[in-house]
Amino acid sequence: MTDTSIEVKYGEREIDEGKLITFPNPRVGRRYNISITLPEFTCKCPFSGYPDFATIYVNYVPDEKVVELKAIKLYINSYREKYISHEESANQILDDIVEACDPLEITVKADFTPRGNVHTVVEVSHQK
């Protein structure tokens, strides 16, 4: 008899359960920039189903909270099975980080790998 159940791997479980976690800013009142590069972003085109690949750049000035790095890695990996446009993915990432840590200012840049001779870069910003 063959076992037909699909075992969920621990990494898949962490991604599925992942959410943006924050911790207190150690230097509230000091303006400083945090730059995070996430070079392995993947999602699926909502029209074709083809995979899209991008490097996501997050630059923000924290206020009271800072995003924990392992949490943002797992959060970004949760997009790999989502059918989402380039524009919506950049905007959703921005919205979710703003909701999690309410930074003074933030820019999210999604630099997508060219596909079909088209290179897309979507940059979105938010300021308190």
Side-chain angles (χ1 to χ4, degrees):
M1 182 172 206
T2 305
D3 183 9
T4 58
S5 65
I6 298 174
E7 178 186 345
V8 177
K9 310 289 187 227
Y10 75 89
E12 294 168 323
R13 188 173 47 255
E14 285 183 347
I15 290 167
D16 287 343
E17 296 169 357
K19 62 179 184 176
L20 290 172
I21 298 169
T22 62
F23 60 91
N25 180 355
R27 296 291 179 155
V28 174
R30 174 177 288 165
R31 285 187 67 87
Y32 64 97
N33 189 65
I34 298 174
S35 296
I36 303 168
T37 302
L38 302 150
E40 298 177 348
F41 178 84
T42 62
C43 63
K44 292 182 180 180
C45 174
F47 306 104
S48 69
Y50 290 138
D52 283 319
F53 305 92
T55 298
I56 305 296
Y57 300 93
V58 177
N59 291 292
Y60 72 102
V61 177
D63 190 7
E64 305 261 331
K65 297 184 250 178
V66 175
V67 174
E68 197 272 326
L69 294 177
K70 182 179 179 184
I72 198 168
K73 173 188 77 170
L74 294 172
Y75 164 79
I76 286 296
N77 285 337
S78 75
Y79 278 83
R80 70 183 178 183
E81 296 299 325
K82 289 183 183 178
Y83 294 93
I84 189 167
S85 70
H86 298 171
E87 298 80 6
E88 180 58 18
S89 60
N91 277 284
Q92 189 61 58
I93 292 166
L94 177 88
D95 289 347
D96 290 346
I97 295 173
V98 167
E99 183 179 331
C101 71
D102 194 25
L104 297 173
E105 56 188 74
I106 181 170
T107 298
V108 172
K109 178 175 153 184
D111 186 350
F112 283 85
T113 302
R115 181 162 51 90
N117 200 32
V118 176
H119 178 210
T120 308
V121 178
V122 179
E123 189 169 316
V124 293
S125 298
H126 170 82
Q127 194 166 0
K128 255 185 169 178

